[in-house]
Amino acid sequence: MHYNANLTADRPTFVTHLECGMTGERYDADMLQGLSRVGRPLLVRYDLDGVRAAVSPADLSQRPADLWRYRELLPVRKVENIVSLGEIATPIVSLRKIGAAAGAAKLLVKDEGRLPTGSFKARGLVMAISMAKELGVTTIAMPTNGNAGAAAAAYAAQAGIEAVIFCPDDTPEINVREIAAQGARVYRVNGLIDDCGKLVAAGKEANGWFDLSTLKEPYRIEGKKTMGLELAEQLRWELPDVIFYPTGGGTGLIGMWKAFAELEALGWIGSKRPRMVAVQAEGCAPMVRAWEAGERHATR
């Protein structure tokens, strides 16, 4: 039997609990949560037996081609809390000439620029803001180098939630202006992204802001997870050999891997996993630094 909270009035819901990614400790999914007691991200867990009984790949093909087609594997319980700006399924484009030049038999790119606010950051922030609305958040705050802040500001404006965004000094002016144009309070900080994060933490304590920073709450991972769900469906439930992924804090890598684990548990894909290649800019490379140092965990 699937878990069905009192919050649910309009459709089945399958979230059972939140779980610390390191210790496995369980947390209530219907309360506002940040990090676990040991300071690690919380992962959303589902009644996958219930999902399997409720939906099949064939059912998905009959639904609108958007992010919300995977609703049984997403955390929003009430449809009225979905804060959507039109998150379409992004196309996969074949790069034949570039692939041939690189010696790749088949090189594909998933064009995430078709999403609202023009980047894949929309996936994580639509889910985080929708859940912030569902759980009663009134003000969110986060540090950003640009695209994530624009997405957060856009969805927060749609939800009627105040957004406070901090950008490092070297953030391009066009990004700062975009965030401001979406209605957020945006500040350019004389420092780096870490300094912006410290200001968010201080504001959280002093003003009660909800910290929407990378991996500081459970739901950006669930939004980024839809990249993996969508990719698997578009490739007819056969995962690629290699995925090259541009990343900052690693949310999308975690999300896609979580998607593949859930799909295998549902019996929709097999045990094959792609080789994941994290690509990072020199100015924001916590994954690369951790890998080169032989560390198990990355720090910002």
Side-chain angles (χ1 to χ4, degrees):
M1 180 178 292
H2 66 258
Y3 178 81
N4 204 336
N6 291 332
L7 284 172
T8 306
D10 44 14
R11 64 183 170 94
T13 182
F14 297 91
V15 175
T16 56
H17 62 282
L18 305 179
E19 182 179 292
C20 174
M22 175 172 281
T23 67
E25 183 181 11
R26 292 188 172 206
Y27 293 76
D28 187 342
D30 292 312
M31 291 181 61
L32 189 65
Q33 307 279 7
L35 296 173
S36 74
R37 269 184 271 272
V38 296
R40 295 296 174 180
L42 294 175
L43 302 174
V44 182
R45 296 304 186 194
Y46 300 85
D47 169 16
L48 295 176
D49 289 335
V51 173
R52 189 185 307 109
V55 67
S56 70
D59 295 326
L60 294 180
S61 67
Q62 304 302 312
R63 296 178 179 178
D66 62 17
L67 177 153
W68 300 100
R69 70 199 278 120
Y70 307 109
R71 57 182 176 263
E72 288 85 0
L73 288 170
L74 296 177
V76 182
R77 294 201 190 276
K78 297 186 75 173
V79 170
E80 66 196 52
N81 291 320
I82 291 175
V83 184
S84 177
L85 294 172
E87 299 75 35
I88 65 165
T90 59
I92 294 176
V93 181
S94 178
L95 302 182
R96 294 183 183 87
K97 291 182 180 178
I98 296 174
K106 196 171 190 179
L107 181 62
L108 307 172
V109 63
K110 192 157 170 54
D111 184 4
E112 295 285 276
R114 311 288 186 96
L115 289 165
T117 72
S119 82
F120 66 150
K121 299 293 186 179
R123 292 185 186 270
L125 273 305
V126 67
M127 206 63 59
I129 295 293
S130 293
M131 288 303 298
K133 179 184 176 185
E134 185 153 279
L135 296 170
V137 171
T138 57
T139 303
I140 63 97
M142 63 181 289
T144 182
N145 285 304
N147 288 334
Y155 285 109
Q158 183 78 349
I161 293 173
E162 182 183 27
V164 186
I165 310 293
F166 295 91
C167 299
D169 195 34
D170 60 354
T171 303
E173 183 66 22
I174 189 170
N175 293 108
V176 177
R177 289 178 178 272
E178 181 185 9
I179 295 167
Q182 301 284 11
R185 287 165 50 198
V186 58
Y187 299 93
R188 189 187 287 276
V189 175
N190 183 19
L192 304 174
I193 193 75
D194 290 352
D195 300 303
C196 296
K198 291 172 185 175
L199 289 172
V200 170
K204 176 183 176 181
E205 293 300 318
N207 303 313
W209 299 341
F210 184 67
D211 188 349
L212 216 67
S213 304
T214 300
L215 298 177
K216 291 290 180 69
E217 54 77 52
Y219 301 110
R220 284 173 75 176
I221 289 174
E222 293 303 292
K224 292 290 187 71
K225 182 177 81 176
T226 63
M227 286 189 296
L229 300 174
E230 206 171 282
L231 187 64
E233 184 182 9
Q234 288 174 315
L235 297 179
R236 299 183 181 181
W237 310 107
E238 284 288 335
L239 301 183
D241 295 322
V242 184
I243 294 176
F244 291 87
Y245 181 69
T247 187
T251 311
L253 292 169
I254 298 169
M256 282 189 284
W257 206 253
K258 187 173 185 290
F260 301 151
E262 290 172 358
L263 289 174
E264 183 181 0
L266 291 173
W268 295 5
I269 65 171
S271 59
K272 173 190 172 182
R273 294 290 184 275
R275 184 161 57 95
M276 308 290 274
V277 180
V279 182
Q280 300 203 286
E282 287 186 7
C284 180
M287 303 299 148
V288 173
R289 288 196 299 269
W291 178 269
E292 291 177 344
E295 299 289 342
R296 179 175 176 140
H297 302 288
T299 57
R300 292 193 69 81

